[in-house]
Amino acid sequence: MTQQTGTSTEHSEATESGLRRSEANRTALQAFVGGKPFLVDVRPAGEVMPALRERVVLTSGAPLDWSAYEGGQRRGVLGAVLYEGWATTVEEADRMLASGEIRVEPCHDHGAVGSVTGVYSASTPVLVVRDEASGVVGYCSVYEGSQRERLTYGVWNDGVRRNLERLRDVLGPALGRALRSHGPVDLAQVMRRGIRMGDDLHSRTTASSALLARELAPTFLGDPELHGEAGRAALDFLCRNDLFFLHVGMAAGKAVADAAHGIGGSSVVTAMNFSEKEFAIRVSGLPGEWFRAPVPPFQGKFFDGFTEQDRGDMGGESLIMETNGFGGMASAAAFPLQEYSGGSPEWMVENNRRMYAITLGENAQYRIPYLSRGIPAAIDVFKVVSTGITPTIHAGAGHRDGGHIGAGIYQAPLECFTAAMEAHQRTYGR
Amino acid sequence: MTQQTGTSTEHSEATESGLRRSEANRTALQAFVGGKPFLVDVRPAGEVMPALRERVVLTSGAPLDWSAYEGGQRRGVLGAVLYEGWATTVEEADRMLASGEIRVEPCHDHGAVGSVTGVYSASTPVLVVRDEASGVVGYCSVYEGSQRERLTYGVWNDGVRRNLERLRDVLGPALGRALRSHGPVDLAQVMRRGIRMGDDLHSRTTASSALLARELAPTFLGDPELHGEAGRAALDFLCRNDLFFLHVGMAAGKAVADAAHGIGGSSVVTAMNFSEKEFAIRVSGLPGEWFRAPVPPFQGKFFDGFTEQDRGDMGGESLIMETNGFGGMASAAAFPLQEYSGGSPEWMVENNRRMYAITLGENAQYRIPYLSRGIPAAIDVFKVVSTGITPTIHAGAGHRDGGHIGAGIYQAPLECFTAAMEAHQRTYGR
């Protein structure tokens, strides 16, 4: 019943280009269904990501000119510059960014994915995940905590700074120590169980977070170096944050999607993301190109006291989970999210069934209990265009002045997929 | 949408006895929907359960003469006598049990519920759960571990003995210390989240076990008395056993069901259990009476290498979970159990919907995500008889020579409910 191998329409296989695409897509699909991500460490970004040894700030989305950033993403990047001490005033930071003295680059170009604003700089503690199947490494910043005001959600102030310092000086090092002491954590195992326990692994990571905390807790107790204040703070942080695993899953998703990227002829989607201004996708066989469209409308539910009028787009790359078949692609795994994602279990099942029409196979590693089948694997731009069905995306909602105020759904805009398909046809023929 | 209060048929309310039953049932229902169980301690049974200061062995099921026990339950009771050192040979133990020098009594009479054979003696470490709504305390033995051979599953040998000694001398005391150091754990909170994460809280307690381990882990790290070998062994045990929570849930279920027991006029079921020979139920308004029937057929799935021919009945009171509306009464919460429980998500949903026809209300504390409603609460023997629908029970399967070999479903036999209804009518009128 479970398909692990790719299929293409007979029509496309009838041409030489169709045959090449079909073969390339099988390779890309295999990268997704055979991915074996392991969490190996937490390290300062500047130690493990070469580009971040310099004065570079990474941020979410297909690249934009610095002048195009106006909202939360702008505030986040400026905050990172001040946090690193590269400038002492916002004006100075802005000038250095405008002149190129400090560069702003896309996370995706450096093996990383960003949550919401997705801001990284040299001292950001990052989760290091290695896909043992491909050897590819993915990075994601450590979850910043559940308080509403975070750099992640476009806020910069003294509270945000103190929290980032605590992440850098206390929590990050202790988490890294615990992971090195424990040895690589098999994330496919955690996510396999998470998807059976109500997680979509995007808007909901409650189970995966609990399972990871439970996996690491005995290591903290067994390692006397972690018995002190830092170790206790780090274990508390792991145990108290139901979204801790989101960033871990994102690093895993990035490593696996990058293993599927750059395969000549493949029409499989290897990244989807948001900047403040745009939604964009990348395709395996067309590396270096982003296919862009305006940010689509958001449908969801806001925390008490907030409405759609308060919301602002400020980027986000947690869609790497959908790229891997989780999140809105696996909505029937996470009925507890119903109020935020579609309104009813029936809708979630129907939506999930639709997602199989735009993917090349199923990832049997991650089975959705209600559907008794693996999550959809490898989104194909040709299938999206021919069906008119676009990926459903679960996502958090940010306040336009900064802060986390709800969660809901985006429907990816068709035009990027059409543009990608046309580019694929220009490059590889019809 | 959610009913928290009891209902009875208009017909029954038309009589004086019907009115009294209706009012009594509202009180019983309230005990279930308002239950607030907290895990407070782990202690040797002999310290907290007065009857167990003497030479008494508790076991599962409505009481039988010692001579009636022939299989796993007999082996379990004999094992307990040898373990306590009250006899040195099986023959001597048998003689002391036959003569009444050592008494065998039902768990339910002493505030406890037994898992499978359900054997308790003075040194058994027990989980102590207090229902803060009623003040009633429930006990259950600590989970014996996941190895196939356990006293719980009717096996007695040197390996079982050594494991019980470790539970008594190492794990039990450390778990008790951790709980006292942590303070009472709100189990309704854990179960509320567990039921949203794929647990039925009977055959599957994966999420609840992870959540409880995660709740207690920081306490182990924060309490220097738990940094040594015993603390590490106890935290490991908590973190490695997905069924650890089953016994915790059972103690909670017992405390809450006992709070609903003994209400004059009530026709609500307050216990269901198995001995080797019988299935039996107890009814709130008829304390002291058990309504019995032969053990019904078992339908399930066996672990590799085992078949129905290997199976033997050896008692069990984990049905306290169904008595509280969990397990087979909440099958739509636990689609991952589908291979063991009904075969398909569709059957689980249909079964779950049926269970609402035999209960007086819903327990909104524990919401089933797929159904968007609380678990069925307060099984009414009149409703069972009038609909002909009996409770569905999720349960483990034991090998006739001892050991855990699978899991599946029992359908409770109608005749106990009919007998209970008739006894109720004799006592309280029609």
Side-chain angles (χ1 to χ4, degrees), chain B residues 248-421:
Chain B
V248 180
M250 286 168 64
K254 175 60 172 166
V256 171
D258 270 7
H261 192 59
I263 299 165
S266 171
S267 57
V268 164
V269 174
T270 49
M272 301 192 283
N273 66 12
F274 289 108
S275 66
E276 282 183 358
K277 301 287 175 68
E278 293 171 326
F279 175 88
I281 68 169
R282 258 194 346 178
V283 170
S284 176
L286 302 164
E289 286 187 74
W290 286 100
F291 303 94
R292 307 169 186 233
V295 175
F298 174 83
Q299 269 199 300
K301 191 169 179 282
F302 296 94
F303 303 152
D304 282 351
F306 297 103
T307 69
E308 171 66 28
Q309 276 64 51
D310 298 310
R311 201 180 62 80
D313 292 305
M314 52 181 75
E317 303 189 320
S318 45
L319 296 66
I320 195 70
M321 300 318 293
E322 275 77 4
T323 308
N324 279 266
F326 298 106
M329 303 289 294
S331 49
F335 298 128
L337 278 176
Q338 60 194 266
E339 287 182 53
Y340 293 95
S341 307
S344 73
E346 290 74 19
W347 188 91
M348 297 173 98
V349 169
E350 193 190 301
N351 170 73
N352 203 148
R353 291 219 162 99
R354 258 197 313 269
M355 296 300 114
Y356 291 102
I358 58 172
T359 52
L360 296 171
E362 296 179 16
N363 190 339
Q365 290 194 91
Y366 310 115
R367 286 179 71 79
I368 300 172
Y370 183 78
L371 300 177
S372 310
R373 60 197 288 196
I375 61 171
I379 299 166
D380 176 17
V381 296
F382 282 75
K383 288 195 156 201
V384 171
V385 174
S386 72
T387 60
I389 297 169
T390 65
T392 299
I393 293 153
H394 288 169
H399 194 284
R400 58 189 148 77
D401 297 331
H404 183 196
I405 60 168
I409 282 178
Y410 291 96
Q411 209 68 49
L414 185 59
E415 59 203 276
C416 338
F417 297 88
T418 309
M421 186 190 77

